[in-house]
Amino acid sequence: MDCLWFKNFGFSIEQIADIVHIPTTAELDAMLLDREEELRRTMERCRLLLKRSEEHRRDLQRIDELLYRCEIADSPEFIRFINRVGNSYMVMDGLQDMARPWLKVLPFNHRYFEINADAELPGTEENYRWGFSLTRDYAEALDFEIKPPMKVIPSRKSIHTIFKNPGGRGGFAPGLLQYAIDYAEAHDIRIFGPVCGVLLASVLENDVLTGYFEAWIPIE
């Protein structure tokens, strides 16, 4: 009964083996206090995961509404990390180690792309960069350390849109945003970079891997 009692608190078999031989109530109290801290961390993680899942579903539901359409909106504040230029991964001392923390905060981050400020749109596949991004609220909630070469991209008034890459792997190119450039020209809107965006989802359409991307094109 003692083993079942503590097992249902979430203690491991190894911990229970120690607990049932604990000689004092003070030591038992300390172990329960440690377990409470673990439970609080788990509850906070679950709360963030629920929030992230709800946000992701809302993003997916907006795809049909914004696909190849444009609206004016403020972009979120990003913390971003770049590790790929075009289709080539960057070679830099310590860059691989710096990428590991981003893998640990999945699924709170996004796969991120950025089109250089000095690139001419629609441009070529060499005009864009890939990496990871995290919005400010999750960076703070996860106590994520922000350090170079990470960069904070402030919120900016932007052309907000969703587009897709129907060309499978390797088919991504800035030219996929040409319709948004045409929208800016038609409405006499001045664009300045960098254009930033995230991958919302990858799905199979007609047996081809198709990526749906959300983009913010900064404007004056």
Side-chain angles (χ1 to χ4, degrees):
M1 288 297 296
D2 284 345
C3 289
L4 287 173
W5 174 271
F6 290 110
K7 179 176 180 292
N8 286 292
F9 271 115
F11 287 106
S12 68
I13 296 299
E14 291 78 9
Q15 288 173 315
I16 293 171
D18 291 334
I19 290 172
V20 296
H21 292 96
I22 285 177
T24 69
T25 57
E27 291 175 279
L28 178 58
D29 178 80
M31 292 193 72
L32 285 167
L33 183 61
D34 289 342
R35 180 59 185 150
E36 288 171 19
E37 291 302 314
E38 292 176 10
L39 288 170
R40 289 189 183 95
R41 289 192 293 269
T42 299
M43 289 168 63
E44 177 60 14
R45 176 80 176 186
C46 288
R47 184 191 69 80
L48 289 174
L49 283 171
L50 178 59
K51 176 186 175 185
R52 184 70 190 92
S53 179
E54 291 171 343
E55 289 173 350
H56 190 47
R57 285 194 304 107
R58 286 196 295 271
D59 290 340
L60 296 177
Q61 291 163 6
R62 291 206 71 190
I63 287 177
D64 288 341
E65 174 189 347
L66 267 181
L67 186 63
Y68 295 124
R69 297 183 179 92
C70 299
E71 67 175 9
I72 305 301
D74 291 332
S75 65
E77 184 180 10
F78 288 112
I79 292 90
R80 66 96 164 115
F81 170 75
I82 299 296
N83 66 347
R84 196 178 100 191
V85 177
N87 292 315
S88 301
Y89 283 93
M90 298 166 62
V91 178
M92 183 187 301
D93 288 344
L95 195 64
Q96 184 177 5
D97 290 338
M98 296 184 69
R100 290 194 179 98
W102 290 91
L103 300 179
K104 293 180 180 179
V105 294
L106 289 167
F108 303 105
N109 57 2
H110 283 91
R111 279 169 282 181
Y112 172 87
F113 72 87
E114 186 175 284
I115 299 175
N116 296 332
D118 57 353
E120 290 292 330
L121 293 177
T124 68
E125 65 274 7
E126 296 305 318
N127 283 341
Y128 67 90
R129 304 186 291 175
W130 279 97
F132 299 100
S133 69
L134 195 64
T135 54
R136 172 67 71 176
D137 56 341
Y138 281 118
E140 292 176 352
L142 298 167
D143 198 22
F144 189 78
E145 183 181 4
I146 304 170
K147 58 184 179 181
M150 300 177 195
K151 183 178 179 181
V152 176
I153 306 297
S155 175
R156 299 169 297 181
K157 187 177 181 181
S158 305
I159 296 174
H160 179 217
T161 187
I162 292 175
F163 66 96
K164 69 177 181 178
N165 168 29
R169 295 187 184 277
F172 184 92
L176 294 169
L177 279 168
Q178 183 59 54
Y179 72 95
I181 308 308
D182 294 340
Y183 172 89
E185 292 177 353
H187 292 80
D188 197 25
I189 298 173
R190 183 174 180 270
I191 293 174
F192 64 98
V195 179
C196 61
V198 298
L199 174 66
L200 291 179
S202 293
V203 296
L204 281 177
E205 291 185 357
N206 300 318
D207 294 324
V208 176
L209 185 65
T210 300
Y212 284 88
F213 298 88
E214 185 173 22
W216 290 270
I217 305 173
I219 62 175
E220 285 189 340

